[in-house]
Amino acid sequence: MSRPGSRLTDTKKVSGELFSLTYGALVAQIVKDYQSVEDVNKQLEKMGYNVGVRIIEDFLARTKEGKCADFRETAEKVQAAFKLYLNMSPTVTSWSAASDQFSLVFEANPIAEFVELPDNYADLQYSNILCGAIRGALEMVHIEVAAWFAQDNLKGDSVTELRVKFIRKVEDTVPAGDD
């Protein structure tokens, strides 16, 4: 018989750990399904892109945010999305001189919390789903970016650093004959 209220459980920590373990199982399955680490990296980025494409509407509905005035404001909203969906707050830092590139620095990467990469998977971008999610979400609000990991805890770095670079503003286009 259980004792109600005798043990407090942090549900955010439990759901974060569950997400981390589930994601780990997903990555393990993709590794089994694909021949090369490069193909696995592409698949993880593609999955993230699809998540980003879908999650942006929920983010905008929840936060009631409007258009960003500049790329710095975009970075703040990306940071807010990490807090909202993954309960982590990366630091926005290392802006380029042109303010078209920044880093998101994570002291710890919760989706890689229980992970150790074997030597033969040193090139695996385990958290590549995050790069894809950023790319997909921003593309849906007409901002084309590139995202990649500059540093990774899993590779022995002291932090995980995700770089985001502005490529261009995507203009709405009307297909020929639909004007």
Side-chain angles (χ1 to χ4, degrees):
M1 185 159 177
S2 68
R3 294 178 297 201
S6 65
R7 191 169 48 170
L8 294 175
T9 304
D10 184 354
T11 56
K12 286 187 178 185
K13 182 160 177 62
V14 169
S15 63
E17 288 176 354
L18 179 62
F19 176 73
S20 180
L21 292 170
T22 303
Y23 180 69
L26 175 69
V27 172
Q29 186 61 51
I30 293 171
V31 166
K32 287 179 186 174
D33 292 347
Y34 289 86
Q35 298 299 317
S36 73
V37 170
E38 184 179 320
D39 291 339
V40 173
N41 290 339
K42 287 177 185 175
Q43 193 62 28
L44 292 172
E45 202 278 344
K46 182 179 175 183
M47 289 171 54
Y49 177 87
N50 290 329
V51 167
V53 164
R54 287 164 180 76
I55 208 166
I56 187 66
E57 288 184 36
D58 181 69
F59 176 78
L60 294 173
R62 284 184 185 202
T63 62
K64 309 283 191 259
E65 296 284 353
K67 280 188 166 188
C68 295
D70 57 23
F71 200 52
R72 287 186 179 269
E73 191 176 340
T74 302
E76 292 171 9
K77 290 182 182 177
V78 169
Q79 181 185 39
F82 272 98
K83 178 67 177 165
L84 181 65
Y85 293 107
L86 294 175
N87 197 32
M88 56 196 222
S89 296
T91 303
V92 177
T93 187
S94 302
W95 281 94
S96 65
S99 291
D100 67 345
Q101 192 173 145
F102 64 90
S103 288
L104 294 168
V105 176
F106 307 88
E107 295 302 317
N109 181 351
I111 67 172
E113 188 174 356
F114 305 108
V115 178
E116 286 184 29
L117 291 179
D119 291 338
N120 57 328
Y121 287 101
D123 292 334
L124 179 67
Q125 296 296 318
Y126 183 83
S127 302
N128 222 22
I129 195 167
L130 300 177
C131 295
I134 290 170
R135 195 173 66 81
L138 292 180
E139 195 170 295
M140 291 297 101
V141 292
H142 307 287
I143 301 171
E144 184 179 342
V145 298
W148 67 94
F149 284 96
Q151 296 184 71
D152 194 339
N153 289 120
L154 290 177
K155 312 272 171 90
D157 297 315
S158 60
V159 296
T160 297
E161 178 185 3
L162 194 159
R163 293 290 293 167
V164 181
K165 178 176 177 45
F166 175 82
I167 304 294
R168 67 185 178 102
K169 181 155 177 37
V170 179
E171 301 297 329
D172 282 333
T173 57
V174 178
D178 285 353
D179 41 337

